Amino acid sequence: MSDMEKVIEQGYAEARVRVRYAETDQMGVVYHANYLVWFEVGRVEFIRQLGLDYKTMEQEDDALIAVAEATARYKAPARYDDELIIRTSLSGVRGPIVRFRYVVVRAVNGSGDETVLCEGETVHFVVGRDMKRREMPAKYAERFAAVMHRLVKKD
C-alpha cells in the first residue's frame, strides 16, 4: 500500500519527532509554542504522504497556505528525549479554506502504549504571492477531497 493509499484509508498521516533539550523550559517540560512547530511538521508530512508538496505548490502553482487560526489543548507534558508521534488529518475543506487537526502522542518504547499530550487545529486560507485569496490548486483539492470523502464514508 502506498503512503497516499494509507493516508486515504486511515484518514491521517504520522510524523515522528524526538524532543530536543532546547525545546524544554526550566521545568524540563516542552515549551508550549513548540507544538505549533510540530503541527507544521505534521502538516508538511501529511501533504507529502498524499504525493504532493508545499514547495511545488508555492513555486509552480503560486499558491501558499496562510495560517489564519491555530488552537492547541494541552493534556500532559512532553519532556526531553520523548519520542512523539504527530497524527495529522483534515477536519474540513471548503474552497480555499483548509482545516487540519493534530494529535500529538508520546510513544512508549514501541509497546503501542501512547499518551495524548496535545490536540489542536489550524485553519488556513490559500493565497497567491500577492496575499490575496485564491482557489486551491486542482490536484490538492482532488487529493484532499479523496481523504474527506473516505472519512465521511467511514462515519
Side-chain angles (χ1 to χ4, degrees):
M1 180 181 293
S2 72
D3 284 344
M4 181 175 63
E5 291 168 332
K6 186 175 179 185
V7 170
I8 291 171
E9 175 64 29
Q10 66 189 12
Y12 63 87
E14 288 189 345
R16 291 178 179 260
V17 296
R18 187 168 294 279
V19 176
R20 297 171 296 197
Y21 185 77
E23 294 169 322
T24 63
D25 61 18
Q26 289 181 335
M27 295 182 292
V29 172
V30 166
Y31 178 68
H32 70 279
N34 286 306
Y35 287 90
L36 296 177
V37 174
W38 296 334
F39 289 176
E40 181 183 2
V41 168
R43 189 167 60 249
V44 168
E45 189 58 28
F46 178 89
I47 290 171
R48 182 175 288 124
Q49 288 182 24
L50 284 178
L52 305 167
D53 68 86
Y54 265 129
K55 189 175 182 178
T56 300
M57 186 179 201
E58 291 177 354
Q59 292 178 347
E60 295 178 14
D61 299 315
D62 185 35
L64 299 96
I65 302 178
V67 177
E69 183 179 334
T71 59
R73 182 176 196 88
Y74 305 100
K75 297 182 172 280
R79 300 186 187 283
Y80 169 68
D81 207 36
D82 283 351
E83 183 180 3
L84 308 180
I85 302 168
I86 303 117
R87 292 197 178 106
T88 306
S89 58
L90 286 174
S91 59
V93 179
R94 193 178 75 223
I97 302 169
V98 183
R99 293 177 180 271
F100 291 94
R101 184 171 188 283
Y102 312 90
V103 179
V104 180
V105 299
R106 178 176 32 247
V108 181
N109 300 330
S111 67
D113 291 337
E114 299 174 348
T115 301
V116 175
L117 305 177
C118 181
E119 295 177 329
E121 185 175 82
T122 55
V123 179
H124 305 258
F125 290 94
V126 179
V127 297
R129 293 215 176 274
D130 59 1
M131 295 306 286
K132 292 184 180 174
R133 199 181 295 188
R134 57 158 293 183
E135 286 304 309
M136 172 95 53
K139 61 188 168 193
Y140 294 82
E142 290 166 9
R143 299 272 170 91
F144 290 172
V147 173
M148 292 304 297
H149 177 73
R150 182 70 177 155
L151 291 175
V152 170
K153 278 180 77 175
K154 281 185 170 182
D155 292 341

